[in-house]
Amino acid sequence: MREFVAQFRAYFLSAAFFSLVINVLMLAPALFMLQVFDRVVSSRSVETLVMLFILTLMALACMAYLDAIRARLLARAAIRLEKLLGPRVLASMLRQSAHANRTLSQHGLRDVAALRGFLTGPGIIAVFDAPWVPLFIAVIFLFHPLLGAVALGGALLLLALTVLNERRSRRSLEAMQTDARTAGRFVDQSLGNAEVVGAVGMVGNVTQDWREKSDKVLQSQYEANQIGSFLSSTTRFLRQMLQVVMLAAGAWLTIEQITAAGVMIAATIILGRALAPV
């Protein structure tokens, strides 16, 4: 792990810096909406609208450019990771190929590919974006403490559901992966000895054994999907509900003339961004 951190520190630090700038620039649409409602509409100034529009487009273009650079940076890290681990894993597989437990290492290169896929997928992006969630919540608090409380409570509730989902589904997912590997090794061994299996008339028995192993995989997958789908639906409902609550709270503050109308829209946009990594 020390070697891994030493070799990839530059990639991750750069990606974290880009994430900081990207998340700050993501405030541009909300601030644009705020200024349009509070300044442009009331003053009827076309010049102000054009200038705000140009600045917002520049911010979004810069954000998209930095996002592409971050993705390319993580892709290079993924390639370097595979170059680092691939030869070691393959060498270990070759050394263990003569032992009785050689089948345990057959999925080593697949594991390396899975790590590479993580570094280029949405999971690692959420890891880099998550530390800036407090920034968005702090901005909403600046609009009004009530709106900030809604955002903070919603983020904590979503985080709790995420942890619950991970804990409830982990065991089923691990069982599914283990059973899938067992079934895969069984198929590889059966195909490697296909002539013998066919000669002694064991095709039916082999097929039945594979069916039993496959049924275990399907059962574990079903259990994991049952848990995950329920909690995912609950999370999706909660996110939509929080946006409605934010709009309702902002509308009430506007009716009571505590905040301006633009705050209602801007806070809702920022809330959606804040909850995305969670």
Side-chain angles (χ1 to χ4, degrees), residues 144-173:
H144 193 274
L146 175 62
L147 302 179
V150 172
L152 179 60
L156 293 177
L157 190 56
L158 278 178
L159 180 61
L161 282 175
T162 303
V163 173
L164 178 63
N165 185 17
E166 195 276 336
R167 290 185 175 180
R168 291 288 303 275
S169 61
R170 174 193 291 181
R171 185 172 301 176
S172 297
L173 289 174

Short mmCIF file of all heavy atoms in Angstrom, two decimals, residues 144-173:
data_model
loop_
_atom_site.label_atom_id
_atom_site.label_comp_id
_atom_site.label_asym_id
_atom_site.label_seq_id
_atom_site.Cartn_x
_atom_site.Cartn_y
_atom_site.Cartn_z
N HIS A 144 -30.34 30.93 3.90
CA HIS A 144 -31.19 31.01 5.08
C HIS A 144 -30.95 29.75 5.92
O HIS A 144 -30.81 28.65 5.38
CB HIS A 144 -32.67 31.12 4.70
CG HIS A 144 -33.54 31.52 5.85
ND1 HIS A 144 -34.06 30.60 6.74
CD2 HIS A 144 -33.97 32.74 6.27
CE1 HIS A 144 -34.79 31.23 7.65
NE2 HIS A 144 -34.75 32.53 7.39
N PRO A 145 -30.92 29.86 7.25
CA PRO A 145 -30.69 28.68 8.10
C PRO A 145 -31.71 27.57 7.91
O PRO A 145 -31.38 26.39 8.02
CB PRO A 145 -30.76 29.26 9.52
CG PRO A 145 -30.37 30.70 9.36
CD PRO A 145 -30.92 31.10 8.02
N LEU A 146 -32.98 27.95 7.62
CA LEU A 146 -34.00 26.92 7.41
C LEU A 146 -33.67 26.07 6.19
O LEU A 146 -33.77 24.83 6.24
CB LEU A 146 -35.37 27.57 7.25
CG LEU A 146 -36.53 26.62 6.90
CD1 LEU A 146 -36.73 25.60 8.01
CD2 LEU A 146 -37.81 27.40 6.65
N LEU A 147 -33.27 26.71 5.11
CA LEU A 147 -32.91 25.98 3.90
C LEU A 147 -31.66 25.13 4.15
O LEU A 147 -31.57 23.99 3.67
CB LEU A 147 -32.66 26.96 2.75
CG LEU A 147 -33.83 27.88 2.38
CD1 LEU A 147 -33.44 28.81 1.24
CD2 LEU A 147 -35.06 27.06 2.01
N GLY A 148 -30.72 25.66 4.89
CA GLY A 148 -29.52 24.88 5.21
C GLY A 148 -29.84 23.67 6.06
O GLY A 148 -29.25 22.60 5.88
N ALA A 149 -30.78 23.82 6.99
CA ALA A 149 -31.17 22.68 7.83
C ALA A 149 -31.82 21.59 7.01
O ALA A 149 -31.58 20.39 7.23
CB ALA A 149 -32.11 23.15 8.93
N VAL A 150 -32.63 21.97 6.02
CA VAL A 150 -33.25 20.98 5.14
C VAL A 150 -32.18 20.23 4.36
O VAL A 150 -32.21 19.00 4.23
CB VAL A 150 -34.24 21.67 4.18
CG1 VAL A 150 -34.73 20.67 3.13
CG2 VAL A 150 -35.42 22.24 4.95
N ALA A 151 -31.19 20.97 3.82
CA ALA A 151 -30.12 20.34 3.05
C ALA A 151 -29.28 19.42 3.92
O ALA A 151 -28.95 18.29 3.52
CB ALA A 151 -29.25 21.41 2.40
N LEU A 152 -28.92 19.88 5.10
CA LEU A 152 -28.08 19.07 5.99
C LEU A 152 -28.81 17.82 6.45
O LEU A 152 -28.26 16.71 6.44
CB LEU A 152 -27.64 19.90 7.19
CG LEU A 152 -26.77 19.19 8.23
CD1 LEU A 152 -25.48 18.68 7.59
CD2 LEU A 152 -26.47 20.11 9.40
N GLY A 153 -30.07 17.98 6.85
CA GLY A 153 -30.84 16.81 7.27
C GLY A 153 -31.02 15.81 6.15
O GLY A 153 -30.93 14.60 6.37
N GLY A 154 -31.27 16.31 4.94
CA GLY A 154 -31.43 15.41 3.80
C GLY A 154 -30.15 14.66 3.48
O GLY A 154 -30.18 13.46 3.19
N ALA A 155 -29.02 15.35 3.53
CA ALA A 155 -27.74 14.69 3.24
C ALA A 155 -27.43 13.62 4.28
O ALA A 155 -26.98 12.52 3.93
CB ALA A 155 -26.62 15.73 3.20
N LEU A 156 -27.68 13.91 5.55
CA LEU A 156 -27.43 12.92 6.60
C LEU A 156 -28.36 11.72 6.46
O LEU A 156 -27.94 10.56 6.66
CB LEU A 156 -27.59 13.56 7.97
CG LEU A 156 -26.57 14.63 8.35
CD1 LEU A 156 -26.90 15.24 9.70
CD2 LEU A 156 -25.16 14.04 8.35
N LEU A 157 -29.61 11.97 6.10
CA LEU A 157 -30.55 10.87 5.93
C LEU A 157 -30.17 9.99 4.74
O LEU A 157 -30.22 8.75 4.82
CB LEU A 157 -31.96 11.43 5.74
CG LEU A 157 -33.12 10.43 5.78
CD1 LEU A 157 -33.10 9.64 7.07
CD2 LEU A 157 -34.45 11.17 5.63
N LEU A 158 -29.76 10.61 3.64
CA LEU A 158 -29.31 9.84 2.48
C LEU A 158 -28.05 9.04 2.82
O LEU A 158 -27.89 7.90 2.37
CB LEU A 158 -29.04 10.77 1.31
CG LEU A 158 -30.25 11.20 0.47
CD1 LEU A 158 -29.81 12.15 -0.62
CD2 LEU A 158 -30.93 9.99 -0.13
N LEU A 159 -27.15 9.64 3.56
CA LEU A 159 -25.94 8.92 3.96
C LEU A 159 -26.27 7.71 4.82
O LEU A 159 -25.68 6.63 4.65
CB LEU A 159 -25.01 9.86 4.72
CG LEU A 159 -23.68 9.27 5.20
CD1 LEU A 159 -22.85 8.79 4.01
CD2 LEU A 159 -22.90 10.29 6.01
N ALA A 160 -27.22 7.87 5.72
CA ALA A 160 -27.63 6.74 6.56
C ALA A 160 -28.23 5.62 5.72
O ALA A 160 -27.95 4.43 5.94
CB ALA A 160 -28.63 7.21 7.61
N LEU A 161 -29.05 5.98 4.73
CA LEU A 161 -29.62 4.96 3.84
C LEU A 161 -28.54 4.28 3.02
O LEU A 161 -28.61 3.07 2.77
CB LEU A 161 -30.66 5.60 2.92
CG LEU A 161 -32.04 5.88 3.52
CD1 LEU A 161 -32.91 6.62 2.52
CD2 LEU A 161 -32.70 4.59 3.97
N THR A 162 -27.54 5.03 2.60
CA THR A 162 -26.45 4.44 1.83
C THR A 162 -25.67 3.43 2.66
O THR A 162 -25.34 2.33 2.19
CB THR A 162 -25.50 5.54 1.33
OG1 THR A 162 -26.25 6.48 0.56
CG2 THR A 162 -24.39 4.97 0.49
N VAL A 163 -25.37 3.79 3.90
CA VAL A 163 -24.65 2.86 4.79
C VAL A 163 -25.50 1.63 5.05
O VAL A 163 -24.99 0.49 5.05
CB VAL A 163 -24.29 3.58 6.10
CG1 VAL A 163 -23.69 2.59 7.10
CG2 VAL A 163 -23.30 4.71 5.83
N LEU A 164 -26.80 1.83 5.27
CA LEU A 164 -27.69 0.69 5.50
C LEU A 164 -27.73 -0.22 4.28
O LEU A 164 -27.71 -1.46 4.41
CB LEU A 164 -29.09 1.20 5.83
CG LEU A 164 -30.16 0.13 6.06
CD1 LEU A 164 -29.81 -0.73 7.26
CD2 LEU A 164 -31.53 0.79 6.25
N ASN A 165 -27.79 0.36 3.10
CA ASN A 165 -27.81 -0.42 1.87
C ASN A 165 -26.55 -1.25 1.74
O ASN A 165 -26.60 -2.44 1.40
CB ASN A 165 -27.97 0.53 0.68
CG ASN A 165 -28.12 -0.23 -0.63
OD1 ASN A 165 -28.41 -1.41 -0.65
ND2 ASN A 165 -27.90 0.46 -1.73
N GLU A 166 -25.41 -0.63 2.02
CA GLU A 166 -24.13 -1.35 1.90
C GLU A 166 -24.06 -2.50 2.90
O GLU A 166 -23.63 -3.61 2.55
CB GLU A 166 -22.98 -0.36 2.11
CG GLU A 166 -21.63 -0.87 1.67
CD GLU A 166 -20.95 -1.71 2.73
OE1 GLU A 166 -21.28 -1.54 3.93
OE2 GLU A 166 -20.08 -2.53 2.39
N ARG A 167 -24.48 -2.27 4.12
CA ARG A 167 -24.39 -3.31 5.14
C ARG A 167 -25.37 -4.45 4.88
O ARG A 167 -25.04 -5.62 5.11
CB ARG A 167 -24.65 -2.71 6.53
CG ARG A 167 -23.52 -1.79 7.01
CD ARG A 167 -23.76 -1.33 8.43
NE ARG A 167 -22.64 -0.55 8.94
CZ ARG A 167 -22.59 -0.03 10.15
NH1 ARG A 167 -23.60 -0.21 11.00
NH2 ARG A 167 -21.53 0.67 10.53
N ARG A 168 -26.57 -4.10 4.41
CA ARG A 168 -27.57 -5.14 4.19
C ARG A 168 -27.27 -5.98 2.97
O ARG A 168 -27.58 -7.17 2.93
CB ARG A 168 -28.95 -4.48 4.04
CG ARG A 168 -29.50 -3.84 5.29
CD ARG A 168 -29.94 -4.89 6.31
NE ARG A 168 -30.93 -5.80 5.74
CZ ARG A 168 -32.23 -5.57 5.71
NH1 ARG A 168 -32.71 -4.41 6.21
NH2 ARG A 168 -33.06 -6.43 5.21
N SER A 169 -26.68 -5.37 1.94
CA SER A 169 -26.47 -6.09 0.68
C SER A 169 -25.07 -6.68 0.54
O SER A 169 -24.83 -7.47 -0.37
CB SER A 169 -26.74 -5.16 -0.50
OG SER A 169 -25.86 -4.05 -0.48
N ARG A 170 -24.16 -6.32 1.42
CA ARG A 170 -22.78 -6.78 1.26
C ARG A 170 -22.68 -8.30 1.31
O ARG A 170 -22.03 -8.91 0.47
CB ARG A 170 -21.88 -6.18 2.35
CG ARG A 170 -20.47 -6.73 2.32
CD ARG A 170 -19.68 -6.38 3.56
NE ARG A 170 -19.37 -4.96 3.62
CZ ARG A 170 -18.68 -4.41 4.61
NH1 ARG A 170 -18.24 -5.17 5.61
NH2 ARG A 170 -18.40 -3.12 4.61
N ARG A 171 -23.33 -8.90 2.30
CA ARG A 171 -23.20 -10.35 2.46
C ARG A 171 -23.75 -11.09 1.24
O ARG A 171 -23.12 -12.04 0.75
CB ARG A 171 -23.94 -10.79 3.72
CG ARG A 171 -23.77 -12.27 4.06
CD ARG A 171 -24.35 -12.57 5.42
NE ARG A 171 -23.72 -11.78 6.46
CZ ARG A 171 -24.09 -11.79 7.74
NH1 ARG A 171 -25.11 -12.53 8.12
NH2 ARG A 171 -23.45 -11.03 8.61
N SER A 172 -24.89 -10.65 0.72
CA SER A 172 -25.47 -11.31 -0.45
C SER A 172 -24.59 -11.11 -1.68
O SER A 172 -24.41 -12.03 -2.49
CB SER A 172 -26.88 -10.77 -0.71
OG SER A 172 -27.74 -11.06 0.37
N LEU A 173 -24.04 -9.92 -1.84
CA LEU A 173 -23.18 -9.66 -2.99
C LEU A 173 -21.89 -10.48 -2.92
O LEU A 173 -21.42 -11.02 -3.93
CB LEU A 173 -22.85 -8.17 -3.07
CG LEU A 173 -24.00 -7.26 -3.49
CD1 LEU A 173 -23.59 -5.80 -3.38
CD2 LEU A 173 -24.44 -7.57 -4.91
#
